[in-house]
């Protein structure tokens, strides 16, 4: 396994600069409530519709009344609305870190620079106090949004960094895009059980939001991701918010935690069903690289072997309805106990003795009752299907989510690819919902899984793609995110 970034392994210079950034954000009162107060409820609502003009007008009016740049307004214009600010304004908003420190941390760059990360040359120029340098325009390289929530432990707030969205970029997202706090993230964080536990695993951590939530009820959290870039953001977010009980590891699915068990497994996996075809973008934040719903199946099947007795796993997922086969029948099959592989070196008489020169062979099923003591048990399960979509609606939702606009040749090409992929497996519908899995005590068999569909699905919100950052209204915990161009 390749060592992954973690807060303790961030560059030494970053470890010095991050506390300065935190102090400046606190001093600027850079919070969800502050930003909503800057531009008002109507502009806030417009931002949810992906329109930033009302917010910009409100900031301009505020600047006119005060005769100066308010630090929180400067930060909002730069990191939420995605528009440049002057070096002088940023230095005033971040007096401890300074504009040069923001460049060094990779938060901003000069307008016109092609580098996606700040460089030392830019930082050196910004140390100059000449008036012309004060007016140098700086553009954002990341989103940096305030985030607030209330959970069983009380009210909390963080700052979350992630990649810029397509409105700021002016084009479709890159395949290595690291998403901020989106609709699915809010849904899962609102469902998390707050029970105090010793260990928790955030599988596919992305920007680290679920690991941060888990850090409030777990003594130690392990957060994994297949993306180095995602782990860099997650490590930065943990350090920026002073969270020290998260360990970050690089790898796919359960590979980074082989042989380990956890009291609580949390996963907002890359569950979006995407054609595995040439020319179809595969976004790391949402596409698991497997065919159909196999990624969700892998997480469900793998959870049993990585939970402690009475441990709980919570995740979101999509599942396919196929011709002649109900999706819940397939889900029930994923929960069945998985036989452990036989170790031929632990012969106990169940199979014929090895004969010199003759290869060892096991029965067709490849298991033996007494040689398979490591078999994962069946899981207790509560699965709620929140939404069912047709293949057409599903394809339209996620093609748009990647930034491809309807009515273009690319949109039509991708639409064809999605429908061809669904047709190849006989997919008639795609379900979305929540999975709560529990490993039973060793002396008690698993109960019959409970799988439920809403009686009035038309009243339920659809699975939320990246654009929709509104928290579901009926969840027990209601995080809030500063609104802005989606990312």
């Amino acid at each position: 396994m390749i060592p992954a970034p973690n807060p303790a392994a961030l560059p030494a210079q970053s470890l010095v600069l991050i506390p300065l950034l935190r102090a400046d954000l606190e001093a600027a009162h850079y919070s969800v409530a502050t930003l909503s107060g800057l531009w008002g409820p109507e502009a806030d609502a417009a931002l949810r519709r992906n329109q930033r003009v009302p917010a910009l007008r409100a900031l301009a009016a505020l600047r006119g009344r005060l005769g100066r740049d308010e630090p929180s307004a400067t930060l909002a214009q730069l990191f939420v609305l995605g528009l440049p600010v002057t070096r002088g304004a940023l230095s005033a908003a971040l007096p401890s870190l300074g504009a040069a420190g923001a460049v060094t941390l990779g938060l901003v760059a000069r307008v016109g620079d092609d580098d996606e990360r700040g460089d030392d040359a830019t930082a050196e120029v910004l140390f100059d106090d000449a008036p012309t340098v004060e007016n140098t325009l700086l553009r954002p390289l990341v989103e940096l949004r305030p985030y607030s929530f209330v959970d069983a432990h009380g009210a909390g707030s963080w700052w979350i960094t992630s990649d810029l969205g397509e409105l700021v970029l002016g084009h479709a997202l890159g395949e290595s895009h690291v998403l901020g706090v989106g609709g699915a993230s809010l849904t899962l964080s609102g469902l998390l059980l707050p029970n105090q536990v010793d260990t928790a695993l955030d599988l596919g951590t992305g920007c680290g939001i679920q690991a941060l939530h888990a850090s409030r009820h777990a003594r130690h959290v392990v957060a994994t991701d297949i993306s180095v870039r995602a782990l860099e953001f997650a490590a930065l977010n943990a350090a920026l918010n002073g969270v020290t009980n998260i360990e970050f590891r690089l790898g796919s699915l359960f590979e980074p935690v082989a042989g380990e068990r956890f009291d609580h497994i949390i996963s907002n996996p890359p569950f979006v069903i995407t054609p595995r075809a040439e020319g179809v973008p595969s976004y790391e934040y949402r596409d698991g690289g497997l065919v159909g719903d196999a990624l969700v199946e892998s997480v469900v099947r793998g959870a049993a072997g990585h939970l402690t007795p009475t441990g709980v796993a919570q995740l979101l997922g999509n599942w396919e309805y196929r011709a002649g086969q109900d999706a819940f029948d397939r889900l029930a099959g994923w929960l069945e106990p998985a036989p452990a592989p036989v170790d031929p070196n632990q012969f106990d008489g169940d199979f014929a003795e090895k004969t010199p020169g003759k290869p060892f062979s096991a029965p067709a099923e490849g298991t033996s009752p007494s040689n398979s003591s490591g078999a994962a048990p069946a899981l207790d399960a509560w699965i709620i299907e929140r939404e069912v979509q047709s293949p057409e609606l599903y394809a339209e939702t996620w093609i748009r989510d990647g930034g491809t606009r309807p009515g273009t040749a690319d949109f039509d090409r991708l639409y064809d690819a999605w429908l061809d992929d669904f047709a190849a497996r006989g997919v008639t519908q795609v379900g979305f919902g929540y999975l709560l899995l529990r490993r039973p005590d060793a002396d008690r068999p698993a109960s019959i899984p409970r799988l439920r569909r809403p009686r009035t699905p038309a009243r339920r919100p659809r699975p939320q793609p990246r654009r929709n950052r509104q928290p579901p209204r009926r969840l027990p915990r209601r995080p809030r995110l500063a609104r802005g161009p989606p990312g």
Side-chain angles (χ1 to χ4, degrees):
M1 182 179 67
I2 302 173
N6 59 67
L10 288 169
Q13 193 171 22
S14 295
L15 294 176
V16 173
L17 295 176
I18 289 172
L20 301 180
L21 174 60
R22 184 191 313 132
D24 287 338
L25 296 176
E26 290 174 346
H29 303 291
Y30 189 56
S31 66
V32 172
T34 295
L35 299 194
S36 296
L38 284 175
W39 43 57
E42 294 304 322
D44 221 13
L47 286 173
R48 290 194 289 271
R49 300 190 300 270
N50 202 30
Q51 301 297 326
R52 61 188 175 189
V53 171
L56 284 170
R57 289 170 62 88
L59 295 184
L62 176 66
R63 187 179 301 112
R65 291 195 304 271
L66 298 178
R68 58 179 171 81
D69 291 307
E70 182 70 15
S72 58
T74 297
L75 297 174
Q77 177 173 321
L78 182 66
F79 292 121
V80 176
L81 304 183
L83 295 172
V85 299
T86 66
R87 182 261 194 190
L90 184 58
S91 293
L94 301 175
S96 300
L97 179 67
V103 170
T104 301
L105 280 178
L107 305 179
V108 299
R110 286 182 301 183
V111 170
D113 285 352
D114 293 331
D115 296 336
E116 293 189 358
R117 298 280 180 170
D119 56 32
D120 292 338
T122 300
E124 289 175 5
V125 169
L126 293 176
F127 280 118
D128 192 335
D129 290 327
T132 55
V133 175
E134 284 290 298
N135 293 321
T136 298
L137 286 177
L138 301 175
R139 62 183 176 88
L141 295 178
V142 301
E143 289 185 353
L144 198 173
R145 297 172 180 264
Y147 168 83
S148 65
F149 59 92
V150 177
D151 62 15
H153 306 286
S157 61
W158 295 311
W159 300 287
I160 304 297
T161 62
S162 62
D163 273 324
L164 299 171
E166 76 268 13
L167 181 65
V168 178
L169 295 172
H171 53 74
L173 303 178
E175 294 189 18
S176 62
H177 179 84
V178 177
L179 185 67
V181 182
S185 298
L186 293 171
T187 297
L188 183 57
S189 65
L191 293 169
L192 293 185
L193 298 177
N195 303 336
Q196 293 291 328
V197 296
D198 188 52
T199 58
L201 169 65
D202 178 13
L203 194 73
T205 192
C207 70
I209 187 62
Q210 305 303 333
L212 288 170
H213 277 292
S215 73
R216 289 169 63 86
H217 68 262
R219 180 191 62 82
H220 181 71
V221 180
V222 174
T224 70
D225 206 285
I226 198 170
S227 165
V228 172
R229 185 172 178 81
L231 290 173
E232 290 173 347
F233 273 115
L236 172 59
N237 290 331
L240 178 58
N241 293 288
V243 177
T244 60
N245 62 334
I246 304 176
E247 176 188 353
F248 296 94
R249 301 184 191 176
L250 179 66
S252 177
L253 294 175
F254 292 99
E255 290 175 1
V257 293
E260 298 180 60
R261 299 187 188 276
F262 300 87
D263 303 313
H264 195 183
I265 296 175
I266 304 156
S267 185
N268 179 15
F271 58 75
V272 176
I273 298 168
T274 305
R276 308 265 72 87
E278 186 178 353
V280 177
S282 179
Y283 299 106
E284 289 181 343
Y285 75 88
R286 71 179 205 189
D287 303 331
L290 301 181
V291 174
D293 52 19
L295 188 284
V296 177
E297 178 182 1
S298 297
V299 175
V300 172
R301 290 189 183 277
H306 291 277
L307 285 171
T308 59
T310 73
V312 168
Q314 293 181 268
L315 63 144
L316 307 179
N318 278 145
W319 39 82
E320 294 181 339
Y321 286 76
R322 298 175 182 172
Q325 188 176 28
D326 189 282
F328 275 17
D329 293 335
R330 300 181 63 243
L331 286 168
W334 299 352
L335 299 168
E336 294 175 356
V342 175
D343 182 353
N345 295 315
Q346 296 181 354
F347 171 74
D348 59 8
D350 290 338
F351 303 144
E353 288 192 53
K354 297 180 184 179
T355 302
K358 183 178 180 180
F360 175 84
S361 61
E365 65 272 17
T367 61
S368 163
S370 55
N371 284 359
S372 305
S373 59
L379 294 173
D380 294 330
W382 184 274
I383 300 174
I384 297 176
E385 185 176 72
R386 194 181 80 178
E387 174 79 10
V388 175
Q389 290 183 304
S390 67
E392 292 80 7
L393 183 56
Y394 188 89
E396 293 168 15
T397 297
W398 294 109
I399 297 170
R400 285 195 305 266
D401 181 76
T404 303
R405 297 180 180 179
T408 63
D410 275 346
F411 190 96
D412 291 346
R413 176 181 58 80
L414 293 174
Y415 207 158
D416 265 333
W418 244 277
L419 296 184
D420 285 345
D421 181 63
F422 283 136
R425 293 187 301 280
V427 176
T428 58
Q429 291 178 308
V430 179
F432 168 79
Y434 323 128
L435 299 90
L436 172 64
L437 314 175
R438 179 180 179 274
R439 178 170 175 149
D441 291 320
D443 57 353
R444 185 184 66 81
S447 60
I448 298 174
R450 299 185 180 188
L451 301 95
R452 294 288 184 268
R453 294 185 174 96
R455 292 183 179 180
T456 55
R459 298 181 183 177
R460 304 279 176 160
R462 290 201 299 256
Q464 297 174 349
R466 179 177 43 78
R467 285 188 179 82
N468 189 349
R469 295 177 181 271
Q470 284 283 70
R473 294 183 178 180
R474 300 183 65 183
L475 298 182
R477 179 168 58 201
R478 306 177 74 174
R480 296 180 63 211
L481 181 68
R483 307 299 174 187

